[in-house]
Amino acid sequence: MDDFLIRALLGGMGIALISGPLGAFVSWRRMAFFGDTLAHGALLGIALGYLAGITADAGMILIGLAIAAILVALQRGKNHASDTLLAIVSHWALALGLVALSLTNGYGPGLRTILFGDILSASWGDVAWIAGCGAGVAIALLFLWRPLLAAAVDEELARVEGVPVAWVSFAFMALLAVVVALAMKMVGILLVTALLIIPAAAVRPLAATPEGMAAMSAVAGSLSVAGGLWGSFRFDTPAGPSIVVAALVLFALGAVVPAFLRR
Amino acid sequence: MPELRRGEGLGVPVGNNVDILIAASGLEVVRGGRLILTVGEANVHAGEVVTLIGPNGAGKTTLVRAMLGLLHPGRGRIDRRPGLRIGYMPQRLSLDRAMPLTVERFLAMAVPGRGGGLNIGAVLEEVGAERVRKQPFQDLSGGELQRVLLARALLRGPDLLVLDEPAQGVDFTGQADLYRLIGDIRDRRGCGVLLVSHDLHLVMAATDRVICLNTHVCCAGHPEIVTRDPAYLALFGRQAAGAFAVYHHDHDHGHHPDGTVAPWPPGRGGCEPEPITKGPPSHSGHPGDG
């Protein structure tokens, strides 16, 4: 196997291992649209990062945090449904990102890479960055697990029982911003949410506990990466979309297999 | 302000304030620039079942949320006995089907870090729901769900149980059982209970004190006294007689179909009982407060 495939596999699996458990929370808390908003914000982050002379990763994470803060603040107003707010912030970030990108005068990776990712060009440095950030997010998630789960069951009940729900939610959004920034390079901003949501949804019928679902989701995500890269190599298809197609195959299996076993 | 005292006064022994678990005083809640709830005083004593009744939009849930600290009122204060442990049973949960969760696991989350040490079996037995222990949470029937939510509140070892419409989605006999259960729990555990309800008949038997709300405290006191109160009859006369779909009452305001308050021509009389001096209309007194 070629070196670049090994790097892509390791990087992709590193992301899948952490995006799986986070994706489970995204589905429990009905935050799929929020994932999209963060992904759109990533485009703005890349462009602003370039213009400000900082790295794309730093730009994406900073914009992700800003979006999380804006949404938390706006939701307190309660004058708009939260999906309306998300749509406004999401498309505002996308439009502003495209405008800012045009100001960079042909910035290196180009729009196509940003939209669809470029997992096959991952360097060993990228893999190490993913491993480091992924481990950090995983440790933070372990500490947040209990209050986050309580808030996912019911925010008000959690608040009455003493969980600092607002802080926990913001911390979760911050972790999500980091993971979106990592995953964006692999599958691109259009498909980031798929990597969060589909593995978690695929294993839902098989899971009996929240922890089980999170763990299985990490495995399903890794299998999607491996299957997608194999398909990409075998059929010469783009890697990012192939990974999402592989995840969809797992989702279909997850829906069919339990029904088959029950007979 | 005389009207602000009426909420408590009736039916509560004066000078018996040492065992107050939670008290709201001078509460004013404004939403969208409109005063939606004024409560001079409302409290719950240890070992007492207090029921909040009132039509839709009367502010029952708003008052409960303010007392729980889920909502910050524009004005007024909430005092809790130091170290007060609250067991809260919400109207419904926002739990998504996407989360695999058994009843047992849901209950173990009641006290963080003590999942293993909780006596889940005993509490499920106490609420009569031991059968569902291993079931997925989302497969519970309406009645089972209410009992499981009650069990979660009890697992916290509460001094005060706050139950928001506990009989929602439960059939009639189930409702009677549930209220009897709540009464039993109070007798056994000696905790205070704050109950939100609009099932009048059933709830009265299990209640020590009723607070009748309609954006302000209309009347309060022992159920037998309150049910003879003109204000109560004005609010619930027809409803109590069985016409649940429509209610109508003489009041200083009317209601839109969604239960929000609509202005009413003045001079139509209020819900206040006659012998008590009439206070100023609670809404017009605080224009655009907030």
Side-chain angles (χ1 to χ4, degrees):
Chain A
M1 195 152 61
D2 292 296
D3 234 19
F4 75 93
L5 265 185
I6 293 175
R7 289 194 298 267
L9 192 64
L10 288 176
M13 281 186 159
I15 289 167
L17 286 178
I18 189 62
S19 71
L22 279 184
F25 273 106
V26 169
S27 72
W28 298 334
R29 305 195 74 179
R30 305 181 189 95
M31 287 171 74
F33 199 6
F34 178 74
D36 264 345
T37 306
L38 280 180
H40 287 174
L43 177 64
L44 180 60
I46 291 170
L48 288 184
Y50 182 80
L51 290 173
I54 53 175
T55 67
D57 288 305
M60 284 189 280
I61 290 171
L62 285 176
I63 289 292
L65 290 178
I67 286 177
I70 288 171
L71 285 171
V72 168
L74 285 178
Q75 275 170 348
R76 298 203 157 193
K78 294 221 156 98
N79 278 329
H80 300 283
S82 51
D83 61 339
T84 306
L85 291 174
L86 278 172
I88 292 168
V89 175
S90 174
H91 297 106
W92 166 82
L94 185 61
L96 206 58
L98 289 168
V99 168
L101 204 62
S102 77
L103 295 178
T104 62
N105 287 326
Y107 161 60
L111 191 57
R112 192 186 150 82
T113 305
I114 295 172
L115 291 181
F116 298 106
D118 193 7
I119 193 170
L120 296 179
S121 70
S123 67
W124 283 113
D126 289 332
V127 173
W129 172 247
I130 287 169
C133 289
V137 171
I139 289 167
L141 188 62
L142 278 180
F143 276 102
L144 280 174
W145 188 271
R146 199 179 277 151
L148 204 50
L149 197 62
V153 168
D154 192 81
E155 289 201 1
E156 299 214 324
L157 189 57
R159 277 174 69 190
V160 172
E161 291 177 355
V163 177
V165 170
W167 283 110
V168 168
S169 299
F170 183 75
F172 176 66
M173 290 184 197
L175 294 184
L176 212 51
V178 173
V179 170
V180 164
L182 292 179
M184 200 290 291
K185 278 193 186 162
M186 298 290 155
V187 295
I189 66 169
L190 289 181
L191 296 174
V192 161
T193 310
L195 212 54
L196 283 169
I197 290 293
I198 300 176
V203 300
R204 170 64 184 94
L206 309 170
T209 64
E211 289 75 17
M213 180 163 157
M216 283 195 262
S217 176
V219 173
S222 303
L223 288 176
S224 307
V225 169
L229 284 176
W230 173 80
S232 165
F233 191 68
R234 175 81 176 70
F235 304 108
D236 195 23
T237 50
S242 301
I243 289 171
V244 175
V245 169
L248 275 167
V249 170
L250 285 183
F251 176 76
L253 286 176
V256 171
V257 169
F260 192 73
L261 289 178
R262 247 178 260 128
R263 290 198 185 167
Chain B
M1 292 166 82
E3 64 154 3
L4 295 187
R5 300 189 164 273
R6 211 172 303 137
E8 201 224 330
L10 303 176
V12 180
V14 181
N16 192 17
N17 288 351
V18 278
D19 61 348
I20 286 183
L21 297 176
I22 193 165
S25 46
L27 219 59
E28 289 180 8
V29 182
V30 175
R31 192 174 297 155
R34 225 161 29 84
L35 191 65
I36 58 165
L37 179 66
T38 321
V39 173
E41 196 147 353
N43 55 40
V44 182
H45 295 240
E48 179 190 39
V49 179
V50 175
T51 301
L52 290 175
I53 59 170
N56 289 334
K60 305 185 293 288
T61 297
T62 303
L63 176 55
V64 166
R65 285 169 52 83
M67 290 178 100
L68 287 171
L70 290 173
L71 174 155
H72 294 285
R75 275 193 195 168
R77 52 184 293 173
I78 307 292
D79 294 299
R80 295 178 178 192
R81 198 177 74 182
L84 181 75
R85 273 172 307 175
I86 294 180
Y88 172 48
M89 176 177 167
Q91 270 191 35
R92 61 182 70 82
L93 284 191
S94 61
L95 180 62
D96 198 273
R97 279 206 73 85
M99 191 193 293
L101 198 68
T102 61
V103 167
E104 189 170 28
R105 181 68 201 279
F106 171 76
L107 293 174
M109 292 167 71
V111 183
R114 279 202 43 209
L118 293 170
N119 204 342
I120 289 172
V123 172
L124 274 177
E125 208 167 309
E126 187 174 356
V127 300
E130 56 275 41
R131 292 179 320 281
V132 302
R133 180 167 181 165
K134 304 282 181 194
Q135 274 189 27
F137 188 85
Q138 288 94 343
D139 290 353
L140 297 176
S141 73
E144 287 164 348
L145 176 65
Q146 300 302 319
R147 284 165 191 267
V148 169
L149 289 178
L150 182 59
R152 165 113 174 211
L154 288 176
L155 277 168
R156 296 186 57 79
D159 309 306
L160 173 67
L161 267 179
V162 178
L163 313 173
D164 194 352
E165 305 257 3
Q168 211 175 40
V170 180
D171 61 38
F172 188 79
T173 46
Q175 286 184 13
D177 290 345
L178 200 61
Y179 286 121
R180 206 172 302 124
L181 176 63
I182 290 165
D184 289 349
I185 286 168
R186 189 272 312 267
D187 294 344
R188 223 174 5 239
R189 297 182 172 236
C191 55
V193 180
L194 178 62
L195 200 65
V196 173
S197 181
H198 52 232
D199 329 289
L200 298 170
H201 300 296
L202 289 169
V203 85
M204 289 303 186
T207 298
D208 299 313
R209 193 153 55 92
V210 172
I211 297 175
C212 178
L213 270 186
N214 194 14
T215 71
H216 58 278
V217 176
C218 289
C219 51
H222 189 274
E224 279 187 26
I225 297 170
V226 166
T227 47
R228 274 183 270 133
D229 192 303
Y232 172 85
L233 293 174
L235 259 183
F236 289 107
R238 293 189 186 201
Q239 193 179 353
F244 277 85
V246 187
Y247 91 89
H248 193 272
H249 63 274
D250 276 340
H251 205 289
D252 56 357
H253 56 248
H255 294 272
H256 292 300
D258 61 355
T260 55
V261 177
W264 201 256
R268 290 284 306 264
C271 70
E272 290 85 2
E274 215 53 61
I276 299 172
T277 329
K278 207 172 164 216
S282 50
H283 317 294
S284 54
H286 321 271
D289 229 327

